[in-house]
Amino acid sequence: MGLFDKIKNPVFIKEDSEADKQLSALKELKTQLSRDALDSIDLEINRVEAGILGEKQVHFELENSHIPMYVLHDLFLEDEGLKAQIDYLIITRKNVYIIECKNLYGNIEINNSGSFIRSYQYKGKTYKEGIYSPITQNERHKELIKSIRIKTKNLITKALFEKNFDENYHAIVVLANPKTVLNDKYAKKEIKEKVLRADQLVAYIKNKDNAKDSVLYSEKDMEEAARFFLDRNKTNPVDYVEKYRKMLDEQKSESPNVNEKSTESNILTCPKCGAPMVLRTATKGDKKGNQFYGCSQFPKCRGIRQVQ
């Protein structure tokens, strides 16, 4: 770091996240959904909360790193039909780091073929499952960044950029859950180097930067590169709460009163499960043609009330 450098610590020029908006929307929908949908939406809320918690852990490590860098959080980039949601993009004087943050529950094993296997315990039993390689995912993000950046180069600088790209741009997977045990004993060296725990991230960046004598960016160039990607950030078109909105619409079509906040004076509740009641007409039996109130959760619940 030069004597006259102005930047002494990380500069966060984008800190907001679509995940925060997603979480708020899910929690609002939870208050309106029926009981049989709660398990599903609770799992989704837990997943989003875990992701946010993991990204906050990475944010904490970067914020306290005392490294002069520009940091962008939660970028959504597109180029020629390819898309990438990047958790963190970090620009230092010497390198660019593309961070895929994972806050996975359970322990992670990486075998000699590079496959990721997650193991976890649930109700006294141990389960194992393969997960999509976050390294493969992040390498695709890296290639998309290359595709976007190369379009700004002329013939001479383009050749130099392509030659030095892998030396200057580093795709890293960060495991943010402090309870996760990483077993990479049999993983290949090039795989091991790309998977870190959150508390190893700052040391990794320092080591990578210190290993290079050449400078990639001046302070002005660092900011211009950060602004370049910020200007290309878009809103992620994926609606993560769409399926729950559809559940809500289905409930409303079955009973207009299911999701209205009302008092016991203008809505009947099921004597068995407490869900709102729906006015129905018997179609068979001795009471065919008679009206009655049936539970909106039928056939899961068969509670009824007679019309007074």
Side-chain angles (χ1 to χ4, degrees):
M1 186 162 58
L3 180 63
F4 300 104
D5 288 345
K6 294 179 182 179
I7 302 173
K8 308 295 182 183
N9 291 296
V11 178
F12 290 80
I13 67 170
K14 183 180 184 300
E15 295 187 77
D16 62 321
S17 169
E18 287 296 316
D20 292 322
K21 300 174 185 176
Q22 178 187 350
L23 182 60
S24 296
L26 286 169
K27 287 184 174 180
E28 174 62 26
L29 284 168
K30 179 182 175 180
T31 65
Q32 304 174 62
L33 286 170
S34 59
R35 293 184 180 185
D36 62 327
L38 293 185
D39 284 346
S40 175
I41 199 168
D42 278 340
L43 285 173
E44 187 73 11
I45 287 172
N46 289 341
R47 186 190 67 80
V48 175
E49 286 179 332
I52 292 173
L53 185 63
E55 291 179 10
K56 285 183 177 179
Q57 180 65 33
V58 172
H59 186 287
F60 174 82
E61 297 293 339
L62 296 174
E63 189 175 36
N64 293 279
S65 66
H66 305 296
I67 300 175
M69 61 171 74
Y70 279 87
V71 182
L72 297 97
H73 176 219
D74 193 25
L75 287 177
F76 183 77
L77 304 175
E78 285 186 286
D79 184 63
E80 297 182 356
L82 300 176
K83 302 174 183 179
Q85 188 277 319
I86 298 169
D87 292 332
Y88 282 96
L89 187 68
I90 300 168
I91 300 168
T92 70
R93 292 287 301 275
K94 296 184 177 182
N95 292 289
V96 176
Y97 301 93
I98 303 143
I99 309 295
E100 176 69 18
C101 180
K102 293 295 183 185
N103 192 31
L104 298 171
Y105 173 76
N107 299 324
I108 303 298
E109 175 190 349
I110 310 174
N111 62 25
N112 57 6
S113 66
S115 299
F116 281 66
I117 302 165
R118 182 172 73 122
S119 61
Y120 60 95
Q121 288 191 334
Y122 182 69
K123 293 185 177 180
K125 293 184 179 181
T126 300
Y127 297 86
K128 283 190 174 184
E129 62 182 13
I131 61 174
Y132 187 81
S133 169
I135 292 179
T136 301
Q137 180 183 11
N138 212 25
E139 286 295 330
R140 289 175 178 169
H141 296 171
K142 178 180 170 180
E143 288 302 311
L144 180 61
I145 285 176
K146 180 180 181 181
S147 175
I148 293 173
R149 203 74 169 117
I150 206 168
K151 290 182 172 62
T152 66
K153 310 296 180 182
N154 59 38
L155 288 177
I156 298 174
T157 57
K158 179 180 178 181
L160 189 62
F161 174 80
E162 287 186 308
K163 178 182 177 181
N164 297 322
F165 180 76
D166 287 328
E167 180 184 341
N168 295 329
Y169 285 73
H170 307 280
I172 316 160
V173 174
V174 176
L175 302 179
N177 188 339
K179 296 182 180 180
T180 295
V181 176
L182 173 62
N183 178 8
D184 59 0
K185 180 179 179 180
Y186 299 106
K188 296 177 181 177
K189 181 181 177 182
E190 59 268 25
I191 297 294
K192 290 182 180 181
E193 292 176 347
K194 295 178 180 179
V195 183
L196 311 171
R197 296 176 62 86
D199 56 6
Q200 299 172 321
L201 177 59
V202 172
Y204 175 91
I205 293 172
K206 288 181 177 179
N207 289 337
K208 279 287 184 184
D209 281 6
N210 291 337
K212 287 177 64 176
D213 293 327
S214 60
V215 174
L216 179 63
Y217 293 127
S218 66
E219 286 193 353
K220 181 180 178 182
D221 292 336
M222 288 169 64
E223 181 175 2
E224 286 181 352
R227 299 289 177 190
F228 171 87
F229 288 109
L230 183 62
D231 289 344
R232 283 154 182 78
N233 178 59
K234 299 181 179 181
T235 300
N236 192 335
V238 177
D239 188 349
Y240 293 98
V241 298
E242 180 182 8
K243 66 178 180 180
Y244 299 106
R245 290 199 183 101
K246 287 182 177 179
M247 287 183 185
L248 187 58
D249 289 341
E250 289 173 1
Q251 287 178 198
K252 288 180 178 179
S253 66
E254 291 177 3
S255 171
N257 294 323
V258 167
N259 298 292
E260 293 178 359
K261 293 184 178 179
S262 48
T263 62
E264 291 185 359
S265 62
N266 57 19
I267 186 169
L268 289 174
T269 57
C270 176
K272 289 189 175 182
C273 71
M277 306 293 284
V278 180
L279 186 63
R280 304 183 190 277
T281 302
T283 57
K284 56 184 179 180
D286 295 336
K287 297 183 179 180
K288 182 178 179 180
N290 292 349
Q291 289 188 314
F292 67 99
Y293 290 102
C295 181
S296 59
Q297 301 308 304
F298 179 87
K300 291 186 177 181
C301 178
R302 298 178 178 270
I304 63 171
R305 288 183 184 272
Q306 299 300 322
V307 175
Q308 301 297 321

